[in-house]
Amino acid sequence: MLQCLSGSSCVRVIEGYRSTWYFLVLVLAYVLYLIFGALVFYAVELPYEEQLRQELRTVKQQFLNDNECLSEERLEEFLTRALEASNYGVSVLNNATTNWNWDFTSALFFASTVLSTTGYGHTVPLSDGGKAFCIIYSVVGIPFTLLFLTAVVQRIMEFSTRRPVEYLHRRWGMSKPLLAALHASLLAIITVSCFFIMPAIIFSVLEEDWNFLESFYFCFISLSTIGLGDYVPGEGYHQRFRELYKLGITFYLILGLIAMLVVLETFCELQQMKTLRKMFYLRKQKTEDQLNIVDHDHLSFASVSDQAASFREDKTDVFPDNIVSASPTTTSNGPMDR
């Protein structure tokens, strides 16, 4: 029994079960985290939704009371049609008719959100041809985008992470894992400052209805490719230089996404993160050929050891201990001793 426990096969089984238990704990923790988020959103947002519903019912009833010639059915029909058009990015308001959703800069912005899988949803294809092209464009473009981002991030990582860490490690003699962790933290601070805080300040100034929190919320939702679509810049009624503004936002989203991927890849290359990931991964099983090679090597080594031990025993039998261990100076009868 003890020999079985100390054998390599039993050790592999125990390690495999340990990884399975870690994985089950990870799944349970993820499910609990989902439930926790749902409970928080439920407790925080439901009262605001009920309040908004009550306000809309009050405004609607007040409008019907002020316009008795208009029936509730006709109003419902008009509101339904207006909301359907709004879901496609078309507004019935007079001050919104000057903003086109499908001019070139808006179409470029839409294409960037499709390829980056952000997808705000504020603008969608209206025609069947546009919907069909969007499918084909995404099927080809999303893998193309992943290839492009991977190549760009790999090149940036070489100059922003690997070479600086290696240089400082040789220059200062610090521990490479510690130096890599400090470098990743500094890189994260710089990225947050340049692509979250500073753009949030700019958006809070350029967008009339946005405060700093809403602007920071848009930056995070966009660069994390969540893209809820509740806040989209450049959609104001009196937005100046709207085309140039949209073009700048498009480049900001692409550069910000690259910066986010660089930071994530930097953290993923940390030794601490690699150790953490290995806890939940399945261990690679050796193939039958590899096991046979290992067993053959073990047997060969054992046979060589046995032959060496046998040779030592034969040598001891031929040369007794008193002869083998005798010193040359004590057994010598050379001319110097005489």
Side-chain angles (χ1 to χ4, degrees), residues 254-268:
I254 296 175
L255 294 178
L257 182 58
I258 293 174
M260 285 283 292
L261 292 176
V262 169
V263 172
L264 292 177
E265 184 66 20
T266 301
F267 275 94
C268 287

Side-chain angles (χ1 to χ4, degrees), residues 85-193:
S86 178
N87 292 333
Y88 285 96
V90 179
S91 176
V92 297
L93 300 178
N94 290 331
N95 52 6
T97 55
T98 57
N99 294 337
W100 292 91
N101 294 323
W102 292 106
D103 54 12
F104 177 76
T105 54
S106 298
L108 181 63
F109 179 74
F110 173 79
S112 67
T113 59
V114 169
L115 296 184
S116 62
T117 68
T118 304
Y120 293 113
H122 71 293
T123 301
V124 295
L126 302 177
S127 63
D128 293 339
K131 295 174 183 177
F133 176 75
C134 184
I135 296 174
I136 300 173
Y137 186 70
S138 302
V139 168
V140 177
I142 291 177
F144 188 24
T145 303
L146 293 177
L147 176 63
F148 166 73
L149 293 177
T150 302
V152 172
V153 170
Q154 189 273 338
R155 291 178 178 273
I156 295 177
M157 286 283 296
E158 186 66 27
F159 295 97
S160 67
T161 299
R162 299 189 182 101
R163 291 188 181 182
V165 171
E166 188 67 30
Y167 172 77
L168 295 177
H169 172 66
R170 293 196 307 265
R171 182 69 180 272
W172 294 348
M174 294 179 59
S175 172
K176 186 175 288 188
L178 177 60
L179 191 60
L182 293 176
H183 174 269
S185 301
L186 179 61
L187 187 63
I189 294 174
I190 294 175
T191 302
V192 170
S193 301

Side-chain angles (χ1 to χ4, degrees), residues 1-8 10:
M1 180 67 179
L2 294 177
Q3 292 179 353
C4 177
L5 290 177
S6 61
S8 60
C10 293

